[in-house]
Amino acid sequence: MTGPILVALLGHWRRNPLQLFTLLAGLALGTALWSGVQAINAEARASYDAAEATLGEGLFPQIVAGDGGSIPLATYVALRRAGWNVSPVIEGNLGPVRVVGVDPLTAPKGIGPVAVEGADLGAFLTGAGQIFAREEVLATLPDTGAALVITPAAAPNTALMDIGLADRLLGRQGRIDRLIVAQIQPSTRRPLAEVAPGLVQSAPQGDSNVARLTESFHLNLTAFGLLAFVVGLFIVHGAIGLAFEQRRPMVRTLRALGVPLGRLILLMALELAVLGLSAGLVGVALGYVVAAALLPDVAATLGGLYGADISGELTLRASWWLSGLAIALGGTGVAAAGSLLSLSRMPLLASAQPRAWVMARQGAGLAVLSLGLLVLSGGLAVWGHGLMVGFAMLGTLLVGGALALPPLLTLVLRLAEGRARDPVAQWFWADTRQQVPALSLALMALLLAMTANVGVSTMVSSFRLTFTGFLDQRLASELYVSARDAEQAAAIVAVAEPRTNAVLPILSVEAQVAGHPVEIYGARDHATYRDNWQLLRAAPGVWDALARGEGVLVNEQLYRRAGRDLGTAVRVAPGLDLPVLGIFGDYGNPVGQVIVNEAVFARQFPDVRALRFGLRLDPAAVDALRQTLRDQAGVADSAMVDQAAIKALSLSVFDRTFTVTTALNILTLAVAGFAMLMSLLTLAAMRLPQVAPVWALGLPRTRLAALDLLRAVVLAALTGALALPLGLGLAWALLAVVNVEAFGWRLPLYLFPMEYLRLGALALLAAVLAALWPAWRLSRMPPAQLLGVFRHER
Amino acid sequence: MLLSLRDVTKTYPGAEVSVLQRISLDLESGEMLALTGESGSGKSTLLHLMGGLDTADRGVVALDGVDLTPLDDKGRAALRRGTVGVVFQQFNLIPSLTVGANIAFQARLAGRHDPDRVQRLAQRLGLGDHLAKYPEQLSGGQQQRVAIARTLAPQPRLVLADEPTGNLDEATADTVFALMCELVAETGAGLILVTHSERLATRLGRRLHLRAGQLT
Ligand SMILES: Nc1ncnc2c1ncn2[C@@H]1O[C@H](COP(=O)(O)OP(=O)(O)OP(=O)(O)O)[C@@H](O)[C@H]1O
Ligand SMILES: [Mg+2]
């Protein structure tokens, strides 16, 4: 019996290749969207992990010099003699490549070549040595005589070697940058302060700095991936639902002929599994192409924004493509479950057409469900805490919003129908309303795509606006100069003082406030700060009070993490507690900051000398001053950064970010548009019984086709009208909830009406493009085909 | 002359013989004609040509002395809106509109909507209680009566009915048929009715039989 059933089931696809294509394409595109974003995320994360393993920053405590300088070899030796189980590291740049030198004999497991498989310790240590790096990194290294070992698992843009070789290449003459502290230490060792008073030990950071800084970007990508997934799921759901709807009459006939329901459902499930698997494979391949195309831009963004090294090349990870396939199969399963269920409940004798009034009843159920989800989302926003709650809120908001679409559309269309006077208009609205159930999944996908567009572009643009504004206040000085040592610092001040309006020393130490790592800055009382800094919140007369040393400013991160609101005390140093006078925005900074007056700073940290300076001067004179500093104080070019260059750099970084998000936006929109095309095409065949009578009653085909186009525009416009508030809700959730929970700072939400208009126009365009072909086919449909509706028993 | 056909020939693409071969026919206003013929003989095809739903390969189809052949899609659509009314065997109604809206639809398209007339027609056809329902909630006979009401609401000059009672049991068929003839007679329109039923065919003033592409 199975044979003939299969022949009948598969015969449907042979007779309707277009439907088969739309089903496969829907599945493949949904999978591609999801796995593309995932691939980018996975690649970037893998790059950090490699960096972390090489550098050990995140895993082990470190010992560094308190003044930020290097550690003499003798100090290291003294520490080891005193019982400390530490391992030295040298870092530096050789051209564009980051050179890391480690000592494999003392390094804890999991670091450096100990982690590199097949490393030959002897060769690594002796003779000309070995250098481990990725192939492209090795190619850029100058010839050192050392053997080059291609190591694909190495961190990007990093060359790993023995500390001796690194010392020779970087010309360090025995000076060490930092010491890795192994987990297990003898209890008999003498205290650090006693052996090496100038050194400080820092706790392991859990994540590397870079990883933490880039979390924000990845969180956004993850949110985007989630959105892409939901859009994809809706598309898959739509494709599967249509595939079932189209075969209802045939299923009914088969059952009437005596095919058992269980057998039929089993065979259809099997058939779908095969289809889902093949479409998933295509989707994963497509996702790979998308990711490979976008990855260089993502890598450049992260590199520019946070100095993170990301390989621009994509590797095919099993976990990734397997998860892509799982999504395709799972999505197919979820989508098919409902259809199979309704098929099993389908009465043997009933109209084969989706029935308008039954659909209306289902609409009421949807409205209740969606309302429930939206209320839940609102409740989570008001009363919830934590990152997971933030994401749950996002999810309920999106799904609730999407489910609200069909009932809302039905409502609006019913209103329009009621107000229509012209019979054609009345039919148009009624007919449009009747199509809502069949189109709803495609429209929901469009809604989510537009929501993602509005939300993500609002977020990125708000970020850009806030960040550039923030750079304007934080980078008020026209030129920033770093000195090698105190001697050069004095020379810089001497050269700069007569040639500038102000020389502002930048003094800082690392400390802890209530267990949180912070940087304490000493600021001179100067108009630069008073005029440019905009505080999120401030006590009255904040700058005067700060100048008198009566309080501190803290950044938003510290305010949120350690609960240091206005008026609460901050322990700047033992015995010195000062109240918070103001809170400033400090976007992208992972650690807390405390700003005190210069005099207070000098009293508390008399040993700290300013090695960095902000110089205020006429922007036109910046180049001349750079020249003078180079000539008279011996400042290297790389130690001078002018404000314009930094701003230009960060703007270009943002433009990269825009390229990525714009590309993803357009991609989602295009996929949603394609989903709509598929639905319209399949619908076109099922719709003939609705169109044919109207045509027979005297509406020309061209008019009907024009109405079909108009319908697509109307539906897209209504969908867009809902997508706007939903997208803004999404942006708000990302900026004000998820961001705060994840990073401790809140970004203000800005509105970009022109951007929304552009997006709206794009969505309308996508809808019109999707409707164009079906409409054209309708305008060309031979009368005989339309008449067939009346002629044949169907 | 309301309707006149001269030497009308129609061949479906790919078919070896013509469905209709040089058919000629005249119909006056108020005249009622039954068209019979075996299944597949081309009755529906002929009816569609007369209603401007399809075009003949050769010959002239004229309504009120106006030749339909040179008309384009729009012109023929206008004709269907205003002059001709067609009742099909099934799938007549617009599923998205209520029964009331369906009945009024064509009259409103033609710009001849008269709510009173719609009400009267609905009452006469026994549809008074069903105006707010959707077509799929009606029985086959009720649906057919809605289609008849819709066709007659704008008072077309020519009514073409393609087996309007083919799906109904005998008793219901008789009632629907009688009502239709009565209502058409009131408007003074011409009627061409395709039917398989000898019984019904003999009740009309004039009858023609279609065989091998020819009228006899
Ligand atoms: N669209 C079409 N394409 C090709 N051939 C067609 C088409 N429509 C009808 N035919 C053929 O033309 C012939 C006449 O069809 P038509 O529907 O006019 O017959 P009929 O007399 O109305 O039959 P019935 O009594 O069964 O309704 C049939 O042989 C049919 O197969
Ligand atoms: Mg017929």
Side-chain angles (χ1 to χ4, degrees), chain A residues 511-557:
Chain A
Q512 295 224 332
V513 167
H516 299 273
V518 297
E519 295 159 333
I520 298 178
Y521 278 86
R524 182 164 294 179
D525 181 26
H526 190 267
T528 300
Y529 301 111
R530 290 175 179 255
D531 296 348
N532 290 303
W533 279 44
Q534 279 154 24
L535 300 174
L536 299 176
R537 299 170 60 187
V542 46
W543 293 109
D544 290 333
L546 184 71
R548 288 192 299 270
E550 290 166 2
V552 300
L553 303 179
V554 297
N555 67 356
E556 191 187 355
Q557 286 84 320

Side-chain angles (χ1 to χ4, degrees), chain A residues 50-58 62 91 98 100 111 158 178 180:
Chain A
E52 214 162 285
T54 313
L55 311 173
E57 281 167 345
Q62 314 269 320
E91 284 173 277
R98 182 175 184 192
V100 178
I111 290 202
T158 302
R178 55 193 172 91
I180 299 173

Side-chain angles (χ1 to χ4, degrees), chain A residues 572-594:
Chain A
V572 177
L576 181 65
D577 292 301
L578 290 173
V580 174
L581 297 170
I583 298 164
F584 56 94
D586 193 12
Y587 307 105
N589 188 356
V591 299
Q593 261 190 21
V594 178

